[in-house]
mmCIF file of all heavy atoms in Angstrom:
data_model
loop_
_atom_site.group_PDB
_atom_site.id
_atom_site.type_symbol
_atom_site.label_atom_id
_atom_site.label_comp_id
_atom_site.label_asym_id
_atom_site.label_seq_id
_atom_site.Cartn_x
_atom_site.Cartn_y
_atom_site.Cartn_z
ATOM 1 N N GLU Z 333 -23.691 -72.697 -56.947
ATOM 2 C CA GLU Z 333 -24.639 -73.664 -57.315
ATOM 3 C C GLU Z 333 -24.287 -74.370 -58.542
ATOM 4 O O GLU Z 333 -24.347 -75.680 -58.665
ATOM 5 C CB GLU Z 333 -25.998 -72.989 -57.444
ATOM 6 C CG GLU Z 333 -26.622 -72.521 -56.174
ATOM 7 C CD GLU Z 333 -27.811 -71.501 -56.420
ATOM 8 O OE1 GLU Z 333 -27.976 -71.025 -57.548
ATOM 9 O OE2 GLU Z 333 -28.544 -71.297 -55.435
ATOM 10 N N PHE Z 334 -23.879 -73.651 -59.548
ATOM 11 C CA PHE Z 334 -23.535 -74.204 -60.916
ATOM 12 C C PHE Z 334 -22.320 -75.220 -60.697
ATOM 13 O O PHE Z 334 -22.474 -76.375 -61.103
ATOM 14 C CB PHE Z 334 -23.113 -73.064 -61.839
ATOM 15 C CG PHE Z 334 -22.976 -73.666 -63.283
ATOM 16 C CD1 PHE Z 334 -23.947 -73.265 -64.271
ATOM 17 C CD2 PHE Z 334 -21.966 -74.392 -63.651
ATOM 18 C CE1 PHE Z 334 -23.895 -73.708 -65.530
ATOM 19 C CE2 PHE Z 334 -21.774 -74.834 -64.959
ATOM 20 C CZ PHE Z 334 -22.726 -74.528 -65.904
ATOM 21 N N ALA Z 335 -21.361 -74.815 -59.961
ATOM 22 C CA ALA Z 335 -20.160 -75.707 -59.802
ATOM 23 C C ALA Z 335 -20.515 -76.909 -59.069
ATOM 24 O O ALA Z 335 -20.053 -77.975 -59.451
ATOM 25 C CB ALA Z 335 -19.039 -74.862 -59.176
ATOM 26 N N GLU Z 336 -21.339 -76.843 -58.040
ATOM 27 C CA GLU Z 336 -21.603 -77.950 -57.168
ATOM 28 C C GLU Z 336 -22.537 -78.993 -57.955
ATOM 29 O O GLU Z 336 -22.269 -80.094 -57.945
ATOM 30 C CB GLU Z 336 -22.407 -77.461 -55.864
ATOM 31 C CG GLU Z 336 -22.533 -78.673 -54.891
ATOM 32 C CD GLU Z 336 -23.064 -78.186 -53.596
ATOM 33 O OE1 GLU Z 336 -23.078 -76.946 -53.281
ATOM 34 O OE2 GLU Z 336 -23.401 -79.043 -52.752
ATOM 35 N N GLN Z 337 -23.548 -78.402 -58.540
ATOM 36 C CA GLN Z 337 -24.409 -79.342 -59.349
ATOM 37 C C GLN Z 337 -23.729 -79.997 -60.489
ATOM 38 O O GLN Z 337 -23.965 -81.106 -60.827
ATOM 39 C CB GLN Z 337 -25.681 -78.525 -59.853
ATOM 40 C CG GLN Z 337 -26.612 -78.144 -58.720
ATOM 41 C CD GLN Z 337 -27.854 -77.328 -59.151
ATOM 42 O OE1 GLN Z 337 -28.233 -77.469 -60.296
ATOM 43 N NE2 GLN Z 337 -28.294 -76.493 -58.286
ATOM 44 N N LEU Z 338 -22.949 -79.200 -61.237
ATOM 45 C CA LEU Z 338 -22.131 -79.771 -62.324
ATOM 46 C C LEU Z 338 -21.261 -80.847 -61.879
ATOM 47 O O LEU Z 338 -21.144 -81.972 -62.508
ATOM 48 C CB LEU Z 338 -21.253 -78.616 -63.011
ATOM 49 C CG LEU Z 338 -20.545 -79.120 -64.225
ATOM 50 C CD1 LEU Z 338 -21.450 -79.461 -65.378
ATOM 51 C CD2 LEU Z 338 -19.518 -77.955 -64.677
ATOM 52 N N LEU Z 339 -20.626 -80.776 -60.736
ATOM 53 C CA LEU Z 339 -19.845 -81.738 -60.220
ATOM 54 C C LEU Z 339 -20.592 -83.076 -59.844
ATOM 55 O O LEU Z 339 -20.207 -84.143 -60.211
ATOM 56 C CB LEU Z 339 -19.011 -81.231 -58.977
ATOM 57 C CG LEU Z 339 -18.074 -82.269 -58.264
ATOM 58 C CD1 LEU Z 339 -17.041 -82.746 -59.249
ATOM 59 C CD2 LEU Z 339 -17.432 -81.669 -57.063
ATOM 60 N N LYS Z 340 -21.795 -82.748 -59.112
ATOM 61 C CA LYS Z 340 -22.570 -83.912 -58.684
ATOM 62 C C LYS Z 340 -23.183 -84.645 -59.890
ATOM 63 O O LYS Z 340 -23.181 -85.869 -59.905
ATOM 64 C CB LYS Z 340 -23.673 -83.399 -57.756
ATOM 65 C CG LYS Z 340 -23.161 -83.172 -56.375
ATOM 66 C CD LYS Z 340 -24.343 -82.828 -55.428
ATOM 67 C CE LYS Z 340 -23.894 -82.602 -54.003
ATOM 68 N NZ LYS Z 340 -24.904 -81.650 -53.304
ATOM 69 N N GLU Z 341 -23.698 -83.888 -60.790
ATOM 70 C CA GLU Z 341 -24.444 -84.503 -61.882
ATOM 71 C C GLU Z 341 -23.579 -85.036 -63.012
ATOM 72 O O GLU Z 341 -23.956 -86.050 -63.712
ATOM 73 C CB GLU Z 341 -25.493 -83.599 -62.435
ATOM 74 C CG GLU Z 341 -26.612 -83.328 -61.347
ATOM 75 C CD GLU Z 341 -27.550 -82.244 -61.749
ATOM 76 O OE1 GLU Z 341 -27.823 -82.117 -63.008
ATOM 77 O OE2 GLU Z 341 -28.181 -81.545 -60.914
ATOM 78 N N GLU Z 342 -22.560 -84.259 -63.431
ATOM 79 C CA GLU Z 342 -21.805 -84.641 -64.566
ATOM 80 C C GLU Z 342 -20.327 -84.934 -64.306
ATOM 81 O O GLU Z 342 -19.536 -85.098 -65.198
ATOM 82 C CB GLU Z 342 -21.877 -83.415 -65.631
ATOM 83 C CG GLU Z 342 -23.300 -83.240 -66.197
ATOM 84 C CD GLU Z 342 -23.754 -84.278 -67.131
ATOM 85 O OE1 GLU Z 342 -22.801 -85.103 -67.573
ATOM 86 O OE2 GLU Z 342 -24.886 -84.504 -67.520
ATOM 87 N N HIS Z 343 -19.947 -84.812 -63.030
ATOM 88 C CA HIS Z 343 -18.563 -85.129 -62.680
ATOM 89 C C HIS Z 343 -17.521 -84.270 -63.362
ATOM 90 O O HIS Z 343 -16.558 -84.769 -63.890
ATOM 91 C CB HIS Z 343 -18.301 -86.599 -62.855
ATOM 92 C CG HIS Z 343 -19.156 -87.530 -61.958
ATOM 93 N ND1 HIS Z 343 -18.816 -88.836 -61.711
ATOM 94 C CD2 HIS Z 343 -20.292 -87.280 -61.313
ATOM 95 C CE1 HIS Z 343 -19.630 -89.334 -60.908
ATOM 96 N NE2 HIS Z 343 -20.592 -88.453 -60.734
#
Side-chain angles (χ1 to χ4, degrees):
Chain Z
E333 289 164 344
F334 190 106
E336 188 172 351
Q337 290 177 27
L338 181 68
L339 178 60
K340 282 186 178 152
E341 295 175 25
E342 293 289 345
H343 297 199

